[in-house]
């Protein structure tokens, strides 16, 4: 069901109105409390600046970290308000609490085009419980609701789902709209051939997404630590590589399902091995049927990179979720970096390339190729759940 978006609201529906915007400002901080990556803050700017330009009184709600329902001084949103102010070129007020007298007073003091950031909503345990009274208090300071926090849309929390029962209209912000357009569009109405590249260390965390993608894709390419569970299921020796022994039958079933559906399921044919899990480990390249005892696979090999590149070359849509190896170690980053470069090249030829959240986003940004992809998703778990075909509560709650 298509959801109503911010662009559907006319000037008269926004001017002078108090608009509650759920944003995803869960950014990384260093030990000094400074923001090390402001991508998520910048991603919300199109929605925030649109509301400022339309003369709305903008009230931002966000979570930060996992304070477990109590005030944690290290998880206050103070550095976020400061950084947002710098990006907007104007002062962003911040409340001491997301509900209560201070929040009400600061919201009432807003003029048209002003912005206030409510303190961390997760300082209240009622947020994650989706408590109706708490949601009503949060909603009581506003008249319109905009959800632009795709990264939290897979959670039915008070600030993502509960408030929609008390605020109308409730619409998707520009970032949310873009996420749904690309991720949902790639699954529901893709330009074909459609390929998915799935990486990461464990099959267990990607079961749902693999099953769903085998149903929808023409090709599924698998990399990362999970490949060794597939190899062991085939009866191959994997040395001391990471294996989930309780998922061997599942790996066999996934290969069987792909075969039945005529989907090309591609696993690496060679791997880069290490004698221990460290950046300076000794390494060697081996075929998957000759992995020696005492060695572990930490990346896909050069032959596999070439075969993956060949398979992707004719694709019109590619979704990538999860790295090909331990890209944090330079020695074992070649597979991940090669896939990133291949997708950047495909993008330039008109292929729709979608980086579906999590570590693959970090890998693409580390390679300096983020701007060359069609879409970089801001959601980790939310991206996975959408690709699995699950309903996201934060999206379902918005106006149709």
């Amino acid at each position: 069901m298509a959801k109503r978006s911010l662009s559907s609201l006319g000037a008269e529906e926004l001017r002078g109105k108090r608009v509650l915007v759920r944003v995803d400002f869960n950014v990384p901080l260093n030990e000094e409390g400074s923001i090390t990556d402001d991508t998520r803050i910048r991603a919300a700017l199109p929605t925030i600046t649109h509301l400022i330009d339309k003369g709305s009184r903008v009230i931002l709600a966000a979570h930060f970290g996992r304070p477990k329902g109590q005030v944690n001084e290290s998880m206050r949103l103070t550095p976020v308000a400061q950084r947002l102010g710098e990006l907007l070129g104007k002062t962003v007020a911040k409340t001491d609490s997301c509900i209560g007298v201070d929040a009400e007073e600061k919201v009432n003091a807003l003029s048209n085009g002003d912005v206030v950031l409510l303190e961390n909503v997760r300082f209240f345990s009622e947020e994650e419980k989706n408590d109706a009274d708490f949601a009503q208090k949060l909603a009581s300071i506003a008249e319109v609701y905009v959800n632009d926090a795709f990264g939290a849309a897979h959670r039915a929390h008070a600030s993502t789902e509960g408030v929609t029962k008390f605020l109308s209209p409730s619409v998707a912000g520009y970032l949310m709209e873009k996420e749904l357009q690309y991720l949902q569009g790639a699954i529901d109405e893709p330009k074909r051939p459609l390929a998915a590249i799935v990486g990461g260390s464990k099959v267990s965390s990607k079961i749902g997404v693999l099953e769903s993608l085998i149903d929808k894709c023409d090709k599924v390419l698998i990399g990362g630590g999970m490949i060794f569970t597939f190899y062991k299921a085939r009866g191959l020796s994997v040395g001391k590589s990471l294996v989930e022994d309780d998922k061997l039958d599942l790996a066999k079933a996934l290969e069987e399902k792909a075969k039945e559906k005529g989907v090309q399921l591609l696993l690496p044919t060679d791997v880069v091995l290490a004698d221990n899990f460290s950046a300076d480990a000794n390494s060697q390249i081996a075929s998957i049927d000759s992995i020696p005892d005492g060695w572990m696979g930490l990346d896909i090999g050069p032959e596999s990179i070439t075969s993956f590149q060949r398979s992707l070359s004719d694709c019109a849509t590619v979704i990538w979720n999860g790295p090909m190896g331990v890209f944090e170690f330079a020695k074992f980053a070649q597979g991940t970096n090669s896939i990133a470069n291949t997708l950047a090249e495909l993008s330039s030829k008109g292929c729709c390339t979608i980086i579906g959240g999590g570590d693959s986003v970090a890998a693409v940004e580390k390679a300096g190729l983020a701007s060359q992809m069609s879409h970089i998703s801001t959601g980790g778990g939310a991206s996975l759940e959408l690709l699995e075909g699950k309903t996201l509560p934060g999206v379902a709650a918005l106006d149709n």
Side-chain angles (χ1 to χ4, degrees):
M1 178 71 76
K3 290 296 171 181
R4 196 171 177 199
S5 75
L6 178 57
S7 54
S8 75
L9 300 183
E12 71 289 346
E13 293 173 275
L14 294 172
R15 182 161 186 79
K17 291 286 180 13
R18 300 186 309 278
V19 182
L20 179 65
V21 187
R22 180 55 160 98
V23 285
D24 182 5
F25 284 170
N26 196 20
V27 294
L29 299 182
N30 61 18
E31 285 169 14
E32 289 79 52
S34 302
I35 295 167
T36 55
D37 181 359
D38 65 1
T39 305
R40 286 180 168 174
I41 301 175
R42 286 185 285 108
L45 292 178
T47 291
I48 298 168
T49 52
H50 175 85
L51 291 168
I52 291 170
D53 292 346
K54 290 285 184 271
S56 300
R57 301 174 185 199
V58 186
I59 308 158
L60 304 173
H63 75 276
F64 183 76
R66 292 181 177 161
K68 299 189 168 74
Q70 50 198 0
V71 175
N72 181 323
E73 292 302 327
S74 68
M75 294 181 192
R76 288 198 177 272
L77 288 164
T78 311
V80 175
Q82 190 181 337
R83 180 66 188 128
L84 178 61
E86 290 165 7
L87 291 166
L88 291 173
K90 66 186 295 166
T91 303
V92 173
K94 191 189 75 68
T95 66
D96 298 331
S97 171
C98 62
I99 57 171
V101 176
D102 180 65
E104 288 164 17
E105 285 177 354
K106 283 178 179 157
V107 166
N108 289 335
L110 294 174
S111 298
N112 292 0
D114 282 353
V115 181
V116 63
L117 175 62
L118 303 178
E119 186 53 277
N120 195 339
V121 290
R122 288 193 186 168
F123 282 176
F124 290 84
S125 59
E126 294 91 334
E127 157 67 5
E128 294 186 76
K129 291 174 186 166
N130 198 4
D131 179 84
D133 288 342
F134 176 74
Q136 189 164 16
K137 284 174 188 167
L138 204 51
S140 69
I141 54 175
E143 299 160 277
V144 176
Y145 177 69
V146 176
N147 192 344
D148 214 26
F150 178 72
H154 59 313
R155 306 278 184 229
H157 290 171
S159 67
T160 61
E161 201 266 353
V163 290
T164 64
K165 295 178 173 69
F166 306 101
L167 290 170
S168 181
S170 288
V171 302
Y174 289 127
L175 176 62
M176 177 75 85
E177 185 181 19
K178 190 181 178 210
E179 291 276 16
L180 296 174
Q181 183 189 334
Y182 274 98
L183 288 167
Q184 195 90 58
I187 290 299
D188 295 345
E189 295 171 356
K191 289 179 184 160
R192 294 188 181 272
L194 165 64
I197 310 163
V198 183
S201 55
K202 294 183 173 181
V203 182
S204 55
S205 62
K206 302 277 170 92
I207 294 170
V209 85
L210 280 168
E211 288 181 331
S212 172
L213 290 170
I214 288 169
D215 276 335
K216 290 169 175 143
C217 293
D218 303 297
K219 307 175 187 191
V220 177
L221 288 63
I222 300 178
M226 72 169 86
I227 59 178
F228 300 102
T229 300
F230 284 88
Y231 298 148
K232 189 166 181 182
R234 289 179 183 179
L236 297 172
S237 170
V238 295
K240 57 176 184 179
S241 303
L242 179 73
V243 167
E244 289 178 281
D245 286 310
D246 61 336
K247 295 290 180 282
L248 299 179
D249 289 342
L250 174 78
K252 282 182 194 164
L254 288 169
E255 289 211 60
E256 200 52 50
K257 180 178 179 177
K259 195 181 285 181
E260 281 169 16
K261 291 192 163 288
V263 172
Q264 185 186 0
L265 185 72
L266 211 58
L267 283 153
T269 50
D270 64 340
V271 287
V272 183
L273 301 170
D275 59 355
N276 66 78
F277 190 83
S278 70
D280 55 0
N282 293 310
S283 64
Q284 61 166 305
I285 294 163
S287 165
I288 60 161
D289 51 15
S290 57
I291 297 172
D293 288 344
W295 290 73
M296 64 178 78
L298 295 188
D299 196 12
I300 64 174
E303 186 183 279
S304 305
I305 290 170
T306 304
S307 129
F308 278 20
Q309 287 170 330
R310 198 179 302 124
S311 178
L312 293 168
S313 64
D314 67 340
C315 291
T317 308
V318 180
I319 302 163
W320 182 18
N321 184 287
M324 298 293 95
V326 186
F327 73 98
E328 296 88 348
F329 299 158
K331 205 179 233 186
F332 307 105
Q334 191 57 43
T336 300
N337 290 341
S338 297
I339 292 298
N341 280 300
T342 300
L343 295 196
E345 201 177 304
L346 287 171
S347 290
S348 70
K349 294 174 181 170
C351 174
C352 177
T353 53
I354 299 162
I355 314 304
D359 285 341
S360 21
V361 174
V364 166
E365 285 175 347
K366 196 175 179 186
L369 296 168
S371 63
Q372 294 177 51
M373 305 298 168
S374 308
H375 180 64
I376 302 257
S377 180
T378 55
S383 308
L384 274 180
E385 291 197 15
L386 196 62
L387 292 173
E388 280 178 46
K390 288 184 179 173
T391 298
L392 306 185
V395 176
L398 301 175
D399 298 348
N400 293 325

